[in-house]
Amino acid sequence: MYSQEAVVNNQVGLHARPATFFIQKANEFKSSIWVEKEERRVNAKSLLGVLSLGIVKGTPIKLIADGPDEKEAVEALYKMISSDFSE
């Protein structure tokens, strides 16, 4: 299991379009991946799950992955969040 903290800093947070990009990226990996916010953990490959967290600008989250490509998965998602989804 591999995890990393991140802070979502893009204008709209992790919802609608950025969430779709995030889920598409998560689905590129074999590992199970979760997003955790304030003790709530959801599947990072589920749009409804990610949207249900209500992640807005400035929200700290934890990316967690478990599987054969866990480190690569977390680092790729972290990079996407850090780049503000290239917006």
Side-chain angles (χ1 to χ4, degrees):
M1 189 170 295
Y2 185 80
S3 66
Q4 188 168 359
E5 300 275 336
V7 177
V8 177
N9 281 317
N10 66 315
Q11 285 303 112
V12 296
L14 193 55
H15 103 68
R17 205 166 66 104
T20 302
F21 293 144
F22 182 85
I23 285 136
Q24 287 171 344
K25 179 58 80 178
N27 276 298
E28 292 176 13
F29 299 95
K30 290 185 172 84
S31 296
S32 296
I33 309 169
W34 301 275
V35 178
E36 194 172 86
K37 175 192 163 201
E38 300 167 355
E39 308 302 314
R40 267 194 72 213
R41 185 183 286 189
V42 299
N43 183 345
K45 298 179 181 183
S46 162
L47 183 59
L48 281 175
V50 172
L51 292 176
S52 75
L53 291 177
I55 298 168
V56 296
K57 182 176 180 172
T59 302
I61 61 171
K62 189 175 199 177
L63 303 169
I64 306 156
D66 188 22
D69 52 4
E70 59 193 29
K71 191 168 197 260
E72 295 87 351
V74 169
E75 288 174 353
L77 293 171
Y78 178 83
K79 186 176 174 185
M80 179 179 264
I81 291 168
S82 298
S83 74
D84 294 338
F85 300 88
S86 301
E87 290 188 324

